[in-house]
């Protein structure tokens, strides 16, 4: 028997490279490096000091779409960061649907309605930024979130321009270019599949925001972490046997960077959508592959009575760590 000589420089079969956790961290680091080096996301401002460039928000849909080992409801993942896990009340199995109260029997039922669920904390000084500057940044960020996730013109009619106009002048052209592929902006702006309209009720919202100084640029960063539950119309409510067939859940963690003061070029002063991550739960995978949100009943074959994920309560919790895999 002859053995092929081993090339010590060939790492293609190294066991560490097959480790899924290592792969996920390597992907995140590559994305961070790509943004830091000024990838195709767009322009860097002409800052009066370095480093000081708004980092373009690059959303990368996980191309592998690995099976998560989670049966039933569909989970679609975007890359980014983590937080701590806190348990919450579970779903009620086989609960009936009431289109007048579509969130009943889901963890979202007790959440605030619409914009009332997006509340900024009391503003305090952050680094060199005054409490007044922080308060203004919170309000600007809140306006962006309400526009991005709740404004019917934006999410249902796909008027992305209403969101773009809230950003700094120098970042708007790159945002418009990204929006040509809705998958690239799905973590910052919700886009409802127009084949599946929402019910005439406010989405339910749960989450938080907080401020700190961005270590790379020195800008004031407002971090946001929100879960939004959307209720979809269904032609015949009798065809659905569980509220999660018409309720889709979308979570996004996005950092909004505020470039304040004359140390920045005028075109770069203002707000920029920075790093972000997110997932969508109880959805149509086909729609999300286009960057759009549609309910689980749009793909009934994926949602059978014997194959529901009753651990799905964690996907309603903004404090749960971001999952690493997708089952779309």
């Amino acid at each position: 028997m002859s053995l092929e000589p081993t090339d010590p420089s060939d790492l293609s079969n190294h066991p560490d490279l097959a480790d899924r956790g290592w792969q996920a961290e390597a992907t995140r680091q590559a994305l961070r490096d790509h943004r830091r080096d000024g990838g195709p996301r767009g322009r860097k401002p002409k800052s009066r000091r370095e480093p000081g460039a708004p980092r373009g928000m690059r959303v990368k849909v996980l191309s592998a779409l690995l099976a998560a080992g989670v049966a039933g409801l569909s989970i679609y993942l975007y890359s980014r960061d983590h937080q701590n896990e806190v348990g919450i009340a579970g779903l009620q199995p086989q609960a009936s649907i009431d289109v007048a109260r579509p969130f009943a029997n889901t963890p979202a039922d007790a959440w605030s309605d619409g914009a009332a669920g997006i509340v900024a904390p009391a503003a305090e000084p952050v680094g060199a930024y005054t409490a007044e500057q922080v308060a203004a940044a919170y309000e600007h960020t809140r306006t962006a979130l309400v526009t991005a996730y709740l404004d019917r013109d934006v999410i249902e009619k796909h008027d992305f321009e209403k969101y773009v106009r809230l950003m700094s002048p120098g970042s708007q052209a790159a945002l418009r270019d990204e929006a040509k592929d809705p998958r690239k902006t799905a973590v910052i702006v919700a886009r409802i599949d127009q084949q599946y309209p929402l019910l005439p009720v406010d989405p339910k919202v749960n989450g938080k925001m907080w401020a700190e100084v961005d270590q790379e640029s020195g800008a004031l960063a407002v971090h946001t972490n929100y879960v939004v539950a959307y209720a979809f119309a269904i032609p015949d409510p009798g065809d659905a046997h569980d509220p999660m067939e018409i309720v889709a859940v979308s979570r996004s963690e996005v950092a909004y960077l505020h470039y304040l003061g004359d140390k920045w070029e005028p075109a770069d002063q203002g707000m920029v959508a920075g790093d972000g991550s997110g997932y969508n739960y109880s959805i149509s995978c086909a729609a999300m592959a286009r960057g759009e949100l549609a309910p689980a009943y749009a793909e009934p074959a994926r949602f059978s009575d014997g194959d529901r994920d009753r651990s799905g309560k964690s996907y309603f919790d903004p404090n749960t760590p971001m999952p690493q895999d997708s089952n779309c």
Side-chain angles (χ1 to χ4, degrees):
M1 177 185 299
S2 63
L3 296 176
E4 293 291 333
T6 300
D7 181 356
S9 66
D10 182 8
L11 300 178
S12 60
N13 294 314
H14 195 288
D16 288 348
L17 300 183
D19 179 75
R20 185 171 294 177
W22 180 92
Q23 291 173 346
E25 178 56 32
T27 299
R28 287 193 295 272
Q29 184 61 51
L31 287 170
R32 289 193 291 267
D33 292 345
H34 178 69
R35 286 190 296 269
R36 186 180 303 116
D37 294 340
R41 160 63 175 84
R43 62 190 296 281
K44 292 184 178 181
K46 296 177 181 178
S47 171
R48 295 183 181 175
R49 68 174 186 176
E50 296 293 334
R55 295 165 296 161
M57 195 284 306
R58 292 292 296 169
V59 177
K60 179 177 177 62
V61 179
L62 294 186
S63 58
L65 298 180
L66 300 172
V70 180
L73 307 188
S74 305
I75 306 161
Y76 202 90
L77 211 60
Y78 296 89
S79 73
R80 309 290 161 89
D81 292 321
H82 310 68
Q83 299 215 342
N84 302 331
E85 178 162 313
V86 176
I88 56 178
L91 306 177
Q92 295 185 18
Q94 305 299 309
S96 61
I97 290 176
D98 179 356
V99 293
R101 295 184 59 242
F103 301 104
N105 300 309
T106 77
D109 191 37
W111 295 356
S112 297
D113 295 324
I118 302 177
V119 179
E124 298 179 352
V126 174
Y129 296 98
T130 66
E132 290 75 18
Q133 288 176 309
V134 174
Y138 278 150
E139 184 58 30
H140 198 173
T141 300
R142 182 180 183 275
T143 299
L145 296 178
V146 171
T147 301
Y149 303 137
L150 302 173
D151 188 313
R152 297 282 176 137
D153 287 340
V154 176
I155 66 177
E156 291 193 282
K157 297 179 182 178
H158 304 167
D159 181 6
F160 189 72
E161 194 64 22
K162 291 183 74 170
Y163 176 82
V164 171
R165 290 195 294 267
L166 297 171
M167 301 299 142
S168 68
S171 68
Q172 291 182 11
L175 261 181
R176 291 187 186 100
D177 186 60
E178 253 184 35
K180 293 175 183 177
D181 182 352
R183 295 172 299 176
K184 294 181 179 180
T185 54
V187 77
I188 56 171
V189 175
R191 183 182 174 95
I192 303 299
D193 185 336
Q194 293 179 333
Q195 299 179 78
Y196 300 94
L198 296 175
L199 285 168
V201 298
D202 284 333
K204 292 285 191 174
V205 183
N206 186 30
K208 62 183 178 180
M209 69 175 76
W210 66 98
E212 64 183 23
V213 176
D214 180 67
Q215 295 303 307
E216 290 186 30
S217 66
L220 178 61
V222 176
H223 296 274
T224 68
N225 180 12
Y226 284 90
V227 182
V228 183
Y230 298 94
F232 288 82
I234 185 170
D236 183 357
D239 289 341
H241 303 92
D242 188 292
M244 293 311 300
E245 293 186 59
I246 66 168
V247 173
V249 177
S250 182
R251 177 179 169 193
S252 297
E253 293 185 30
V254 180
Y256 283 90
L257 304 181
H258 296 261
Y259 294 87
L260 309 177
D262 60 7
K263 64 184 176 184
W264 309 104
E265 293 293 330
D268 299 313
Q269 293 176 20
M271 183 170 66
V272 174
D275 290 347
S277 61
Y279 58 75
N280 295 286
Y281 174 71
S282 188
I283 57 165
S284 160
C285 291
M288 189 47 60
R290 303 188 302 271
E292 298 186 332
L293 201 61
Y297 80 77
E299 293 180 5
R302 296 188 61 87
F303 197 106
S304 64
D305 286 345
D307 195 30
R308 284 181 166 86
D309 173 27
R310 290 300 162 189
S311 66
K313 61 186 180 181
S314 65
Y315 296 106
F316 288 80
D317 185 357
N319 296 308
T320 300
M322 285 286 179
Q324 298 299 310
D325 297 314
S326 166
N327 73 343
C328 265

